[in-house]
Amino acid sequence: MRVKFILALASLLISISAFAQRGKFFSTDNQLLSSSFVTQVYLDNEGFIWATTRNGINRYDGYQFRVFKKENEHDSSLASNYVNSMMQDKNGLFYFGLYGALQTWDGNKFDNVAMLDKDGNAGHCYPNCFLERSNGDILVGSSGLGLLKFKNKKTACQVKGPLSSIHTVNSVIEDRMGVLWIVTDNLGLISFDGKSMRRIRRNYIRRNNK
């Protein structure tokens, strides 16, 4: 009897595992995604799965997709259907990097965010990534203006000082010590401790991995 129970339990676990690994496939062919060119997949604070694409934004609730697209007749819609990146902060506000535009979404409407260069003039760039720092600062990595920081919900300004020499930021993270690690096009990998910027060269990585 004990052996039968163990065999039945093992069979059930194998069946569950096989079902869990089966997964689902979403594409434009089955009319679920607005585009097959997905630029980022993101899990928000409430468990919704988002996919930013070159033809709008898709949000999946476990059953169906909701698609967000640019609508010319609505000022509060997406500025562009070409969406590069997104993030949600700890307060629930969403940030979207689009083709030449930066927007926030509060759950009801999209708001445009002005992007200013280090001299305070309107700049043009392509937001690539976002980071919410431990102190609450919101950073934007871009192509064109390097690293920007939100001044308020309506304005993001290019970071001044040593970091202003960066043209393109592809990725940025903050470590436990508060140091920024930034992947750039023109300077490679750099670190910034709030005062000085350091380029991380190949020999440095090899030496510290020994």
Side-chain angles (χ1 to χ4, degrees):
M1 209 47 198
R2 182 185 179 87
V3 174
K4 288 184 178 180
F5 174 77
I6 293 174
L7 290 175
L9 180 60
S11 177
L12 176 62
L13 291 175
I14 292 172
S15 298
I16 292 174
S17 176
F19 179 79
Q21 294 178 17
R22 204 176 300 165
K24 294 182 179 180
F25 179 71
F26 303 110
S27 71
T28 54
D29 293 336
N30 51 28
Q31 298 181 343
L32 294 175
L33 282 179
S34 60
S35 172
S36 292
F37 198 120
V38 177
T39 53
Q40 184 182 354
V41 176
Y42 186 85
L43 181 68
D44 72 16
N45 299 343
E46 296 182 347
F48 291 103
I49 298 174
W50 296 72
T52 60
T53 77
R54 286 191 173 181
N55 188 30
I57 305 167
N58 302 258
R59 187 184 73 177
Y60 184 60
D61 62 7
Y63 298 96
Q64 59 186 356
F65 281 92
R66 177 182 177 185
V67 178
F68 300 84
K69 282 189 174 184
K70 178 180 179 180
E71 300 175 13
N72 294 327
E73 65 271 19
H74 297 296
D75 293 335
S76 61
S77 70
L78 280 176
S80 170
N81 283 329
Y82 192 139
V83 188
N84 292 323
S85 55
M86 68 171 292
M87 185 194 75
Q88 183 185 28
D89 67 21
K90 61 184 178 182
N91 295 317
L93 185 65
F94 287 88
Y95 302 79
F96 292 99
L98 307 99
Y99 184 79
L102 178 61
Q103 290 186 302
T104 60
W105 187 67
D106 61 4
N108 295 306
K109 61 185 178 67
F110 290 93
D111 289 309
N112 296 319
V113 178
M115 296 180 289
L116 307 181
D117 63 20
K118 59 185 178 181
D119 298 317
N121 301 316
H124 185 74
C125 67
Y126 305 92
N128 295 323
C129 59
F130 295 94
L131 171 68
E132 181 177 18
R133 301 196 65 180
S134 56
N135 64 4
D137 287 345
I138 304 296
L139 302 182
V140 186
S142 76
S143 297
L145 291 178
L147 197 65
L148 300 97
K149 183 173 77 172
F150 268 73
K151 181 178 180 181
N152 50 56
K153 292 183 179 180
K154 296 290 186 181
T155 308
C157 304
Q158 185 179 18
V159 174
K160 298 181 180 180
L163 296 181
S164 63
S165 61
I166 302 173
H167 178 272
T168 299
V169 173
N170 297 311
S171 180
V172 55
I173 63 171
E174 180 184 30
D175 67 21
R176 289 178 293 179
M177 302 299 292
V179 176
L180 293 178
W181 295 83
I182 307 169
V183 179
T184 75
D185 270 4
N186 58 323
L187 298 175
L189 176 64
I190 65 172
S191 66
F192 182 69
D193 61 6
K195 295 180 180 179
S196 59
M197 183 178 73
R198 182 178 184 180
R199 294 186 67 181
I200 309 301
R201 301 183 184 276
R202 183 181 303 175
N203 292 337
Y204 172 86
I205 296 174
R206 286 179 175 174
R207 184 171 63 251
N208 284 273
N209 281 338
K210 289 181 179 180

